[in-house]
Amino acid sequence: MGCVARVHVFADEAGNFDFSSKAGATKYFILTTVTMDDFRPGDALLALRRQLAWEGHHQGTDDFHATEELQSVRDRVFAELANWDFRVDSTILEKRKARPHLAADDIRFYKMAWYLHFKHVAPLITRAGDELLVMGASLGTKKKKEGFHSAIHDVVGQVSRGVDFRTVSWAGASDPCLWVADYCCWAIQRKWERGDNRSYALIQPKLRSEFDVFRIGTKTYY
């Protein structure tokens, strides 16, 4: 009998739930997961945060959040992440191609994104008998947070048969492994939204899948 493995998956999303062409609406919704055997990449970022605080560069925030950081801090974070082994998978949804009934319900759309993502990823990272911890960064109001977490839990249960799993949704600042997912997701979003590959190139060696859900479809709804 083989040893039971515990697999850790940390998730982050980029993009908003504004399905329109008005200013501020993102073109894509992107779901990214980072899979690790242990927590050392997160531990390394926590150590880096302390070092940056000592240097006077990172004193006023609770975490590493790529969108809000100076480029000099981002450079240090990406340089640290390059030292560690973990798996990155990303699913990209061009929002204007989502059917109206999905666009009208944030939780339904979110659950679809998770299902399309994790039905592909789960068989690649787990085997029957494994233990699986899936941690997502919490989103929205209390009611929405509960709905989003329930969506993750339902999807993991559907696609991870024979695996003993737990799902949690925690604030992004609460776990440094979620910072890893945040940075990877941000880099992928920059590529898709802005055509900026600088940070994407730094995480690309760890990227195992990048799935454009609506790549074949041509019909748009706004």
Side-chain angles (χ1 to χ4, degrees):
M1 181 180 295
C3 296
V4 173
R6 180 173 296 173
V7 180
H8 309 96
V9 175
F10 298 88
D12 194 50
E13 300 87 16
N16 54 35
F17 293 101
D18 185 346
F19 291 81
S20 74
S21 57
K22 68 184 182 183
T26 59
K27 184 176 180 180
Y28 298 97
F29 184 85
I30 298 173
L31 171 61
T32 301
T33 55
V34 173
T35 304
M36 307 178 189
D37 294 327
D38 56 44
F39 307 115
R40 290 183 296 167
D43 294 342
L45 288 195
L46 190 56
L48 175 61
R49 182 166 172 257
R50 297 187 186 109
Q51 177 61 29
L52 288 170
W54 175 254
E55 296 173 13
H57 300 307
H58 204 260
Q59 296 177 328
T61 60
D62 295 330
D63 61 350
F64 283 124
H65 190 55
T67 302
E68 300 169 2
E69 300 293 356
L70 296 173
Q71 187 59 49
S72 59
V73 173
R74 291 192 197 114
D75 290 343
R76 296 278 291 274
V77 172
F78 281 118
E80 184 58 52
L81 292 179
N83 296 327
W84 300 97
D85 183 29
F86 52 85
R87 175 192 176 108
V88 181
D89 294 276
S90 193
T91 296
I92 295 92
L93 298 96
E94 187 176 355
K95 295 184 326 188
R96 64 179 181 162
K97 293 182 179 179
R99 293 182 181 275
H101 74 281
L102 293 170
D105 186 328
D106 295 354
I107 293 174
R108 178 180 289 183
F109 178 80
Y110 182 79
K111 187 170 185 176
M112 178 194 70
W114 261 94
Y115 179 77
L116 294 173
H117 181 82
F118 217 63
K119 76 171 183 177
H120 166 70
V121 174
L124 301 176
I125 63 173
T126 60
R127 298 172 299 178
D130 282 349
E131 297 175 344
L132 174 65
L133 174 64
V134 179
M135 182 181 297
S138 58
L139 297 170
T141 63
K142 181 179 180 181
K143 184 176 181 180
K144 282 285 184 71
K145 287 177 182 176
E146 292 172 352
F148 288 138
H149 177 250
S150 178
I152 295 174
H153 188 83
D154 288 350
V155 165
V156 175
Q158 287 180 53
V159 302
S160 303
R161 307 232 175 222
V163 174
D164 186 13
F165 73 92
R166 307 285 187 273
T167 61
V168 295
S169 294
W170 287 357
S174 66
D175 192 299
C177 291
L178 288 172
W179 310 348
V180 180
D182 171 89
Y183 261 73
C184 293
C185 195
W186 181 85
I188 294 165
Q189 183 193 38
R190 294 283 292 192
K191 172 198 166 184
W192 284 85
E193 289 280 350
R194 302 191 184 189
D196 177 2
N197 289 338
R198 174 182 173 179
S199 299
Y200 176 86
L202 300 176
I203 61 101
Q204 191 173 15
K206 305 177 189 303
L207 188 60
R208 298 294 180 267
S209 67
E210 187 177 10
F211 177 45
D212 177 5
V213 171
F214 300 132
R215 67 194 182 283
I216 297 175
T218 58
K219 184 173 179 58
T220 59
Y221 296 92
Y222 62 85

